[in-house]
């Protein structure tokens, strides 16, 4: 599929995610891609994306069909302890609210 290159999606996510975090979900918006495919075919596309992303990212993740997002796809991350990250816009970095005291990326 020209609109959704599975390996390219996984590669972009791998380059973008912060150290110490894993991908928990990839959200895909088929509506924005304007692909006229049946629901059962979408399920196969999601399964293939999941297999490819799991292989390249080495994370256990799920694929979510989500027409509410503004992009073709986006993703969620969790810290190695399983906690969703917080984002410090001033420092432009993600951090774990639970582990920050032990492994702070900021000097508080």
């Amino acid at each position: 599929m020209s609109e959704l290159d599975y390996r390219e999606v996984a590669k972009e996510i791998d380059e973008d995610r912060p150290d110490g975090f894993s991908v928990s979900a990839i959200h895909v918006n088929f509506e924005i891609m304007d692909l006229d495919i049946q629901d059962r075919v979408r399920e196969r596309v999601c399964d293939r994306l999941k297999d490819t992303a799991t292989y390249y990212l080495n994370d256990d993740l799920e694929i979510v069909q989500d027409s509410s997002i503004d992009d073709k796809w986006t993703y969620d991350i969790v810290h190695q302890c399983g906690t969703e990250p917080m984002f410090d816009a001033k420092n432009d970095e993600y951090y774990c609210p639970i582990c920050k005291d032990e492994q702070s990326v900021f000097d508080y």
Side-chain angles (χ1 to χ4, degrees):
M1 303 183 80
S2 59
E3 292 282 349
L4 187 63
D5 182 341
Y6 310 115
R7 285 177 288 191
E8 191 61 34
V9 169
K11 181 180 174 185
E12 285 183 40
I13 291 172
D14 191 37
E15 291 173 354
D16 190 44
R17 70 176 162 172
D19 291 338
F21 291 89
S22 59
V23 178
S24 61
I26 298 175
H27 300 263
V28 181
N29 185 348
F30 287 106
E31 306 303 322
I32 205 168
M33 289 184 237
D34 198 28
L35 298 174
D36 186 26
I37 57 177
Q38 299 171 348
D39 287 340
R40 62 183 169 82
V41 176
R42 286 184 183 188
E43 291 299 321
R44 282 188 267 164
V45 169
C46 289
D47 289 344
R48 186 160 178 212
L49 175 58
K50 180 179 180 172
D51 291 344
T52 303
T54 299
Y55 174 79
Y56 281 97
L57 299 172
N58 205 21
D59 291 335
D60 183 25
L61 54 91
E62 66 178 318
I63 304 299
V64 179
Q65 295 183 47
D66 187 352
S67 60
S68 68
I69 59 176
D70 294 330
D71 296 316
K72 292 178 185 176
W73 57 268
T74 187
Y75 64 96
D76 298 330
I77 57 175
V78 293
H79 190 250
Q80 60 195 5
C81 69
T83 305
E84 290 187 17
M86 295 184 76
F87 185 73
D88 187 330
K90 180 180 176 186
N91 290 301
D92 199 32
E93 291 188 54
Y94 289 94
Y95 68 97
C96 176
I98 293 176
C99 301
K100 70 177 173 66
D101 295 330
E102 300 161 10
Q103 303 171 346
S104 178
V105 294
F106 306 116
D107 186 14
Y108 290 103

